[in-house]
């Protein structure tokens, strides 16, 4: 996703408008927990601030398909990322991967970084919110339940039997 900055660099225009559909190849997705990206679009602009300093701003929207934390089924997670980043034409130590090469700016790595930051810690499908997390002889407990309740020990019942025998 390269943006031609020639008109901006030669002062033919003050702003370059961007309205693009964003696609990433499978290599990007394989290195993340994202299974699929759908309807990803970036709408924004690039302006020159002063002396080789530029600003890219806009909104990145779309849908991530993530694995459900309980059942591993697909979960759609809509995202909207507001972007407002400054970069320099001559700065080689950029953290945001925005580099102008031959009057072109490749924003794909930059947009990908912003998407990765938006991956939620938990993805749970609405239909699985009230799913039973117990079965015959087992139950799932949270760490908080474990720390707040001494009954969670698998030996609690056994200890009570031993205590009743001593009496």
């Amino acid at each position: 996703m390269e943006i031609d900055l020639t008109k901006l660099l030669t002062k033919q225009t003050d702003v370059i408008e961007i309205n693009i559909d964003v696609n990433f190849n499978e290599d990007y997705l394989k290195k993340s927990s994202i299974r699929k990206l759908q309807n990803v679009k970036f709408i924004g602009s690039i302006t020159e601030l002063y002396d080789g300093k530029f600003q890219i701003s806009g909104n990145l929207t779309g849908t991530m398909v993530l694995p459900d934390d309980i059942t591993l089924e697909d979960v759609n997670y809509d995202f909207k990322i507001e972007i407002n980043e400054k970069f320099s034409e001559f700065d080689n130590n950029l953290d945001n991967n925005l580099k102008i090469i031959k009057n072109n700016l490749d924003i794909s790595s930059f947009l990908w970084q912003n998407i990765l930051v938006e991956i939620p810690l938990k993805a749970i499908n609405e239909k699985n919110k009230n799913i039973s997390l117990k079965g015959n002889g087992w139950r799932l407990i949270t760490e908080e339940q474990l720390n707040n309740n001494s009954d969670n020990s698998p030996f609690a019942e056994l200890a009570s039997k031993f205590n009743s025998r001593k009496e």
Side-chain angles (χ1 to χ4, degrees), residues 84-101:
N84 193 4
E85 189 75 33
K86 294 179 176 126
F87 62 99
S88 175
E89 182 178 7
F90 304 107
D91 191 359
N92 290 327
N93 299 326
L94 295 175
D95 293 333
N96 56 18
N97 288 333
L98 288 170
K99 294 183 180 117
I100 299 173
I101 301 171

Side-chain angles (χ1 to χ4, degrees), residues 91-116:
D91 191 359
N92 290 327
N93 299 326
L94 295 175
D95 293 333
N96 56 18
N97 288 333
L98 288 170
K99 294 183 180 117
I100 299 173
I101 301 171
K102 296 183 182 176
N103 293 348
N104 287 320
L105 177 67
D106 186 3
I107 61 172
S108 54
S109 294
F110 171 70
L111 295 177
W112 178 249
Q113 286 177 353
N114 280 278
I115 289 172
L116 289 178

Side-chain angles (χ1 to χ4, degrees), residues 118-131:
E118 287 296 312
I119 298 174
L121 294 176
K122 284 188 157 210
I124 299 176
N125 195 331
E126 285 296 319
K127 71 178 186 177
N128 295 332
K129 284 204 182 223
N130 297 321
I131 196 168

Side-chain angles (χ1 to χ4, degrees), residues 10-54:
T10 59
K11 311 285 190 239
Q12 293 177 15
T13 186
D14 293 334
V15 64
I16 293 178
E17 298 293 332
I18 305 169
N19 187 345
I20 57 172
D21 292 327
V22 181
N23 296 308
F24 295 99
N25 64 34
E26 292 294 320
D27 292 338
Y28 280 96
L29 298 175
K30 286 179 184 175
K31 297 176 185 174
S32 73
S33 62
I34 301 172
R35 289 183 174 168
K36 197 182 327 178
L37 285 169
Q38 301 170 335
N39 306 320
V40 181
K41 187 170 197 74
F42 180 69
I43 299 173
S45 62
I46 299 175
T47 56
E48 183 173 14
L49 300 174
Y50 56 89
D51 295 336
K53 299 270 186 205
F54 298 89

Side-chain angles (χ1 to χ4, degrees), residues 37-38 40 60-64 77-81 115 118:
L37 285 169
Q38 301 170 335
V40 181
L60 180 64
T61 58
T63 303
M64 296 180 207
Y77 178 78
D78 296 328
F79 62 90
K80 181 177 181 180
I81 307 166
I115 289 172
E118 287 296 312

